Amino acid sequence: MKLLLDTHAFIWWDSEPEKLSPRALSLCEDSANQLHLSTASLWEIQIKSRLGRLKLSLPLPEIVTTQQEANGLVLLSIHPDHVYALNALPALHKDPFDRMLVAQARSEGLHLITHDETVRTYPVDVEW
Protein backbone atom coordinates (compact mmCIF):
# COMPACT_ATOMS: atom_id res chain seq x y z
CA MET A 1 0.00 0.00 0.00
CA LYS A 2 1.24 3.51 -0.79
CA LEU A 3 0.77 5.81 2.18
CA LEU A 4 1.05 9.57 2.56
CA LEU A 5 1.85 10.62 6.10
CA ASP A 6 0.06 13.67 7.43
CA THR A 7 2.48 16.08 9.10
CA HIS A 8 1.59 15.01 12.64
CA ALA A 9 1.72 11.34 11.67
CA PHE A 10 5.26 11.79 10.33
CA ILE A 11 6.42 13.56 13.48
CA TRP A 12 4.83 10.91 15.70
CA TRP A 13 6.20 8.07 13.55
CA ASP A 14 9.69 9.52 13.95
CA SER A 15 9.73 10.49 17.62
CA GLU A 16 6.57 9.35 19.43
CA PRO A 17 5.19 6.26 17.64
CA GLU A 18 3.03 5.43 20.65
CA LYS A 19 0.81 8.37 19.64
CA LEU A 20 -0.13 6.60 16.40
CA SER A 21 -3.16 4.34 16.42
CA PRO A 22 -2.33 0.62 16.43
CA ARG A 23 -3.44 0.43 12.77
CA ALA A 24 -1.39 3.46 11.68
CA LEU A 25 1.66 2.11 13.51
CA SER A 26 1.24 -1.30 11.93
CA LEU A 27 0.97 0.23 8.46
CA CYS A 28 4.10 2.33 9.00
CA GLU A 29 6.06 -0.65 10.32
CA ASP A 30 5.07 -2.93 7.43
CA SER A 31 7.99 -2.85 4.99
CA ALA A 32 5.63 -3.91 2.18
CA ASN A 33 4.07 -0.43 2.38
CA GLN A 34 5.66 2.61 0.79
CA LEU A 35 5.72 5.71 3.01
CA HIS A 36 5.52 9.16 1.40
CA LEU A 37 6.04 12.60 2.89
CA SER A 38 4.92 15.73 1.08
CA THR A 39 7.04 18.80 0.58
CA ALA A 40 4.01 20.59 2.07
CA SER A 41 4.66 18.76 5.35
CA LEU A 42 8.34 19.73 5.31
CA TRP A 43 7.29 23.32 4.79
CA GLU A 44 4.74 23.15 7.62
CA ILE A 45 7.24 21.55 10.02
CA GLN A 46 9.90 24.13 9.21
CA ILE A 47 7.49 27.02 9.78
CA LYS A 48 6.18 25.64 13.08
CA SER A 49 9.69 24.83 14.27
CA ARG A 50 10.97 28.31 13.43
CA LEU A 51 8.02 29.92 15.24
CA GLY A 52 8.69 27.81 18.34
CA ARG A 53 5.38 25.94 18.02
CA LEU A 54 7.10 22.61 17.38
CA LYS A 55 10.17 21.18 19.08
CA LEU A 56 12.17 18.75 16.96
CA SER A 57 14.58 16.19 18.41
CA LEU A 58 17.03 16.80 15.55
CA PRO A 59 17.30 19.25 12.66
CA LEU A 60 14.63 18.52 10.06
CA PRO A 61 17.08 17.42 7.31
CA GLU A 62 18.54 14.82 9.69
CA ILE A 63 15.10 13.48 10.61
CA VAL A 64 14.15 13.14 6.94
CA THR A 65 17.45 11.51 5.95
CA THR A 66 17.18 9.05 8.83
CA GLN A 67 13.62 8.12 7.81
CA GLN A 68 14.66 7.75 4.17
CA GLU A 69 17.50 5.41 5.12
CA ALA A 70 15.68 3.44 7.83
CA ASN A 71 12.19 3.21 6.35
CA GLY A 72 12.50 4.02 2.66
CA LEU A 73 10.60 7.29 3.05
CA VAL A 74 9.81 8.84 -0.33
CA LEU A 75 9.56 12.63 -0.64
CA LEU A 76 6.59 13.80 -2.69
CA SER A 77 7.07 17.11 -4.49
CA ILE A 78 4.19 19.47 -5.14
CA HIS A 79 3.31 19.42 -8.84
CA PRO A 80 0.97 21.74 -10.77
CA ASP A 81 -1.61 18.92 -11.01
CA HIS A 82 -1.73 18.80 -7.21
CA VAL A 83 -2.38 22.53 -7.06
CA TYR A 84 -5.09 22.29 -9.74
CA ALA A 85 -6.71 19.40 -7.83
CA LEU A 86 -7.41 21.79 -4.94
CA ASN A 87 -10.17 23.30 -7.04
CA ALA A 88 -12.18 20.07 -6.87
CA LEU A 89 -12.09 19.91 -3.06
CA PRO A 90 -15.00 21.16 -0.99
CA ALA A 91 -14.13 23.96 1.46
CA LEU A 92 -14.17 21.75 4.55
CA HIS A 93 -10.74 22.56 5.97
CA LYS A 94 -9.11 25.97 6.20
CA ASP A 95 -5.56 24.64 6.67
CA PRO A 96 -3.80 24.94 3.28
CA PHE A 97 -1.25 22.26 4.18
CA ASP A 98 -3.94 19.69 4.96
CA ARG A 99 -5.86 20.59 1.80
CA MET A 100 -2.68 20.05 -0.23
CA LEU A 101 -2.14 16.64 1.36
CA VAL A 102 -5.68 15.63 0.45
CA ALA A 103 -5.17 16.84 -3.13
CA GLN A 104 -1.89 14.96 -3.41
CA ALA A 105 -3.30 11.75 -1.94
CA ARG A 106 -6.22 11.86 -4.39
CA SER A 107 -4.02 12.72 -7.38
CA GLU A 108 -1.41 10.07 -6.64
CA GLY A 109 -3.73 7.29 -5.42
CA LEU A 110 -2.24 7.31 -1.92
CA HIS A 111 -3.90 6.43 1.37
CA LEU A 112 -3.53 9.32 3.82
CA ILE A 113 -2.52 8.47 7.37
CA THR A 114 -4.11 11.12 9.58
CA HIS A 115 -5.79 11.57 12.92
CA ASP A 116 -7.43 14.81 11.72
CA GLU A 117 -11.22 14.38 11.84
CA THR A 118 -11.87 17.17 9.33
CA VAL A 119 -9.47 15.71 6.77
CA ARG A 120 -11.33 12.43 7.08
CA THR A 121 -14.49 14.09 5.75
CA TYR A 122 -12.86 14.60 2.34
CA PRO A 123 -13.31 12.03 -0.44
CA VAL A 124 -9.90 10.45 0.13
CA ASP A 125 -8.72 7.06 1.38
CA VAL A 126 -7.78 7.58 5.02
CA GLU A 127 -6.09 5.20 7.41
CA TRP A 128 -5.91 5.59 11.17
Side-chain angles (χ1 to χ4, degrees):
M1 184 181 305
K2 292 183 178 183
L3 306 165
L4 178 60
L5 298 169
D6 195 345
T7 306
H8 66 272
F10 172 71
I11 292 168
W12 293 347
W13 167 237
D14 179 69
S15 58
E16 298 177 281
E18 67 278 0
K19 287 189 171 183
L20 294 171
S21 72
R23 170 129 175 95
L25 181 60
S26 174
L27 288 169
C28 289
E29 290 176 335
D30 186 343
S31 62
N33 293 330
Q34 189 177 61
L35 302 177
H36 292 79
L37 181 69
S38 172
T39 301
S41 291
L42 294 177
W43 188 7
E44 182 179 16
I45 292 167
Q46 193 63 52
I47 289 170
K48 288 182 177 181
S49 176
R50 186 73 176 166
L51 294 174
R53 293 178 43 206
L54 177 63
K55 195 82 158 164
L56 299 175
S57 59
L58 295 168
L60 183 55
E62 287 183 44
I63 294 171
V64 172
T65 299
T66 298
Q67 285 296 326
Q68 287 175 306
E69 292 171 357
N71 298 303
L73 182 73
V74 176
L75 294 179
L76 178 61
S77 297
I78 298 171
H79 301 287
D81 286 346
H82 300 149
V83 176
Y84 305 147
L86 291 168
N87 193 49
L89 295 179
L92 303 173
H93 207 305
K94 297 193 188 310
D95 185 320
F97 296 108
D98 287 329
R99 290 177 53 81
M100 178 53 69
L101 296 180
V102 170
Q104 287 183 298
R106 287 172 44 98
S107 295
E108 301 294 328
L110 305 171
H111 292 246
L112 182 58
I113 293 187
T114 186
H115 181 52
D116 187 319
E117 294 288 334
T118 305
V119 169
R120 294 201 227 171
T121 62
Y122 279 102
V124 64
D125 292 322
V126 172
E127 303 291 338
W128 188 251

